[in-house]
Amino acid sequence: MLSDGEITRWRLITPSLGTLDFRDRAVVYGQGDRLASLFWLLKGIVKLSHITEGGIQLTTDVMGPGSVFGSTLAAHISEHTATALGEIHVAKVPHEDLNSLVCESPEFVAFLCAELESWQKRTERKLITVLTKKVETRLVETLRELAQVFGTPCPHGYALEIPLTQQDIADLVFVSRPAVTKAMNALRRRGVLDYRRELICVNNIALKSA
């Protein structure tokens, strides 16, 4: 998690580095936008989604504090929309000033490399999971990853108090909504999880066994 002190030091190197607040469901940038900045999330949750040629919106990722999004490349056209889930606080630096920050701050380079590698490994893990594992296993692993990042302790393990629909979860698991609903109901009967409208309670011990 980045501190205010780190942001202040980086701003001394690159005065154009700024911070922004977005309200719930606000769009940070949209699919098809020409990205002019690199963003990183200081507080809150950001959902990345892609609209297909058929007009279907797919959730491709959910990002927590410290995550980097946007682009390090100038004149890059975004393939996704970044939307706030709840109120968020982000930092951004324009592409034209990114090089100076990279050259002058080893700490920023280490932070950026770590976050980009984390995103790459997460993407590789998702691809391997989709190609090699059954729906219920993919759901279990997705819930476990979400619980580790966004979960708050509860008597059974973790409570996922993030506004994700079953369709969002189905997109993250790369299956249809009916398939993920069937798998979630099966896990619920086995005591692995319970859920309400905007709360998923994950039984950590049962989840590991599953």
Side-chain angles (χ1 to χ4, degrees):
M1 184 67 179
L2 297 175
S3 67
D4 292 336
E6 288 171 311
I7 299 297
T8 300
R9 288 195 298 273
W10 295 344
R11 188 177 282 132
L12 292 175
I13 299 171
T14 307
S16 62
L17 189 158
T19 58
L20 298 168
D21 293 301
F22 292 87
R23 67 185 185 280
D24 182 31
R25 302 294 175 179
V27 173
V28 181
Y29 57 81
Q31 182 174 329
D33 287 353
R34 187 177 296 275
L35 293 177
S37 301
L38 177 71
F39 297 83
W40 56 95
L41 188 58
L42 301 175
K43 180 182 178 182
I45 303 171
V46 166
K47 180 175 76 170
L48 305 185
S49 59
H50 174 82
I51 298 177
T52 68
E53 292 183 0
I56 300 172
Q57 179 173 292
L58 302 175
T59 297
T60 58
D61 206 352
V62 181
M63 314 186 84
S67 299
V68 171
F69 59 106
S71 177
T72 60
L73 303 175
H76 178 73
I77 303 300
S78 176
E79 295 287 347
H80 61 264
T81 295
T83 305
L85 293 184
E87 295 181 352
I88 66 170
H89 186 52
V90 302
K92 75 167 188 174
V93 60
H95 289 145
E96 59 265 25
D97 297 325
L98 184 59
N99 285 341
S100 62
L101 187 55
V102 169
C103 292
E104 298 293 332
S105 175
E107 292 82 5
F108 178 78
V109 173
F111 158 75
L112 182 59
C113 289
E115 289 303 320
L116 292 176
E117 183 178 0
S118 175
W119 176 83
Q120 179 185 8
K121 287 181 177 179
R122 188 167 69 250
T123 303
E124 289 175 350
R125 190 164 60 249
K126 286 181 179 179
L127 180 59
I128 293 170
T129 297
V130 169
L131 295 175
T132 64
K133 298 180 181 179
K134 297 180 180 179
V135 171
E136 186 171 300
T137 304
R138 285 148 59 181
L139 175 60
V140 165
E141 293 188 356
T142 298
L143 291 174
R144 182 170 57 198
E145 183 171 315
L146 290 172
Q148 289 172 345
V149 177
F150 305 108
T152 57
C154 73
H156 303 99
Y158 297 99
L160 295 176
E161 296 180 344
I162 53 177
L164 291 179
T165 65
Q166 286 197 5
Q167 184 60 59
D168 290 328
I169 296 173
D171 294 343
L172 293 172
V173 179
F174 296 95
V175 295
S176 66
R177 180 177 176 179
V180 87
T181 299
K182 180 180 179 181
M184 288 182 72
N185 288 339
L187 292 174
R188 190 180 196 177
R189 289 192 296 270
R190 290 159 53 189
V192 175
L193 58 84
D194 193 10
Y195 52 87
R196 304 290 185 269
R197 183 173 181 179
E198 288 190 353
L199 172 66
I200 299 176
C201 181
V202 177
N203 186 322
N204 192 40
I205 296 175
L207 185 63
K208 289 181 179 178
S209 298

